[in-house]
Amino acid sequence: MASNYTNTTHFNDTNYFGGSHAPDSVIHYTIAAAVAMGLCLIGIVGNIIVFWYLFFRIPRNKYTVYIINLAAADLLLLTFAAILMMVNINTLVGSNPDFEGNAGFYTFLEIIYDLSLYSGMYFLTAISMERCISVLFPLWYNNYRPKTLSVTMCICLWILGCSESLIENLSCTQEDFTNQTPVCTGVEIMTFTLSICICLPLMILSSFTLLIAIKKTFRNRYPPRLYIIIIAAVFIFILSVIPFNFLWFLMYFRLLPSIQDTLGLYFAGILTAALSSTANPYIYFIVGRLWKQKSSQSIHDTLHRAFKAEEDEKEEIKCEKENTSSNSGVTNSTSCDSDRTDNSHNTNTESIV
């Protein structure tokens, strides 16, 4: 999305800086690109761990299906953001600044980057809305929700993200973007509508609904960890990514004062998108360890606890209270362990593949 206008083949165009290069700006952009690459590496490690455990080691439920796909989208985004930053560093200070003969490769990088960005936004919206619906309409959700809804939604959202990325990068080239062609204008309006007018209100609405649910239940018990994860991930995404989507829309209509601001917006947009994708796995780790007395917990246990079905989490909290208040702790612990085993078996049986 951000890279349509700021193609690396034009970074060193002297017209962009009023007839001369701006050495200070080049240094700043190079530093920003290097920082973004370092952030991407940290995020790649975290998302690989999350994807591995959720896909291969932890029984799946209707929510972990979304998280697996979100981790895959974040992993793609971070990987291709790091490659884009390497290309941009070469453009700014490398030996082949014009990146000659590689325009097709750069377009490919843009397509995959935008695909992962849009898909991640849709996965966040979908999981937050599904959790919101489960709070507002619990009877319908528990009795009539299709078992394959998570898988179907993820497939459709990948297709939607891919289609949006292809349309934007192939129908609205850098030249079309500069000339504000009717097709490019339509593409920009489409992306603005999907991100700002649809996804943003849905994420805000669902987050407020979950916050109200937390407030109502917090006096009686700890809120479900999944609520905390969704709210935190949505909050970080809204603060870091959505504002730049809005600014890119304004930039298309020449409402930004100078090209320096445009280049700065480009690097800041990639940096904040990388920050959001990097933060997600560490949110899972932190929330998974929350409210646990023992600090030494494996990654498997942490992630399993973070994405445990709400019914199992209620049972665990109930067992912990019983064990704390009862003198016969051995008997209660055995009973709770038996219940957890049964719940885990049921989750495995109803897992969405």
Side-chain angles (χ1 to χ4, degrees):
M1 178 175 64
S3 50
N4 280 336
Y5 183 72
T6 321
N7 192 306
T8 55
T9 59
H10 298 282
F11 266 130
N12 288 333
D13 190 338
T14 55
N15 292 329
Y16 273 28
F17 293 103
S20 61
H21 291 291
D24 291 340
S25 297
V26 170
I27 293 173
H28 294 161
Y29 297 146
T30 304
I31 293 174
V35 171
M37 287 176 59
L39 190 64
C40 288
L41 293 178
I42 296 173
I44 287 171
V45 172
N47 280 287
I48 287 176
I49 293 173
V50 169
F51 184 86
W52 170 263
Y53 277 95
L54 291 183
F55 194 84
F56 295 106
R57 303 291 300 278
I58 296 176
R60 279 174 238 170
N61 56 47
K62 50 185 171 288
Y63 301 115
T64 56
V65 172
Y66 289 113
I67 300 299
I68 289 171
N69 284 271
L70 178 60
D74 287 339
L75 185 59
L76 272 178
L77 184 144
L78 292 168
T79 301
F80 281 84
I83 298 174
L84 278 170
M85 290 297 97
M86 286 190 287
V87 172
N88 291 330
I89 289 176
N90 172 76
T91 299
L92 293 168
V93 298
S95 58
N96 182 23
D98 291 336
F99 207 57
E100 295 177 356
N102 294 283
F105 175 67
Y106 191 82
T107 301
F108 170 74
L109 295 180
E110 292 177 344
I111 290 173
I112 303 300
Y113 174 84
D114 288 342
L115 159 65
S116 56
L117 180 64
Y118 293 139
S119 298
M121 176 177 65
Y122 297 142
F123 293 140
L124 268 179
T125 305
I127 190 174
S128 60
M129 281 303 301
E130 179 161 341
R131 205 69 194 98
C132 175
I133 292 173
S134 71
V135 172
L136 296 176
F137 310 101
L139 293 179
W140 177 89
Y141 185 80
N142 292 327
N143 295 327
Y144 298 103
R145 178 192 182 277
K147 291 186 177 181
T148 59
L149 178 63
S150 298
V151 175
T152 304
M153 284 294 297
C154 287
I155 293 174
C156 293
L157 294 178
W158 276 116
I159 294 174
L160 177 60
C162 182
S163 301
E164 185 177 357
S165 177
L166 288 172
I167 291 172
E168 183 174 13
N169 286 282
L170 299 181
S171 300
C172 184
T173 63
Q174 189 271 334
E175 183 178 355
D176 294 334
F177 192 99
T178 303
N179 296 328
Q180 292 182 321
T181 62
V183 172
C184 200
T185 300
V187 170
E188 292 301 316
I189 293 175
M190 175 194 71
T191 56
F192 178 83
T193 302
L194 288 173
S195 61
I196 305 299
C197 300
I198 296 179
C199 288
L200 178 60
L202 290 177
M203 286 191 284
I204 292 176
L205 174 64
S206 59
S207 297
F208 271 112
T209 302
L210 295 181
L211 282 173
I212 294 172
I214 288 175
K215 183 179 179 181
K216 289 182 178 179
T217 61
F218 187 72
R219 295 180 179 178
N220 301 322
R221 62 181 179 86
Y222 291 121
R225 292 178 177 90
L226 185 62
Y227 286 20
I228 307 298
I229 289 174
I230 293 173
I231 293 172
V234 168
F235 180 75
I236 292 176
F237 184 86
I238 289 176
L239 288 183
S240 59
V241 177
I242 294 296
F244 291 95
N245 291 3
F246 182 73
L247 290 175
W248 276 108
F249 182 78
L250 296 180
M251 184 201 67
Y252 176 77
F253 292 101
R254 306 293 189 269
L255 298 178
L256 293 182
S258 66
I259 189 61
Q260 284 87 341
D261 291 339
T262 302
L263 293 177
L265 180 62
Y266 167 73
F267 282 101
I270 292 184
L271 182 61
T272 53
L275 176 62
S276 176
S277 296
T278 298
N280 285 337
Y282 298 99
I283 290 173
Y284 311 152
F285 298 145
I286 293 172
V287 175
R289 290 178 179 272
L290 222 58
W291 312 314
K292 194 68 180 178
Q293 296 178 354
K294 296 181 180 180
S295 59
S296 56
Q297 296 293 321
S298 66
I299 295 177
H300 177 278
D301 293 338
T302 299
L303 292 176
H304 180 65
R305 190 178 303 111
F307 299 109
K308 186 177 295 184
E310 186 175 357
E311 299 78 15
D312 296 340
E313 188 163 3
K314 289 180 181 178
E315 186 64 30
E316 180 186 8
I317 294 172
K318 178 181 177 182
C319 291
E320 288 178 356
K321 289 182 178 179
E322 290 177 355
N323 290 335
T324 302
S325 60
S326 175
N327 293 326
S328 56
V330 176
T331 304
N332 285 334
S333 177
T334 304
S335 175
C336 291
D337 289 341
S338 176
D339 290 341
R340 286 194 201 97
T341 302
D342 293 340
N343 288 334
S344 176
H345 175 73
N346 292 336
T347 302
N348 267 320
T349 303
E350 298 177 358
S351 288
I352 301 174
V353 180

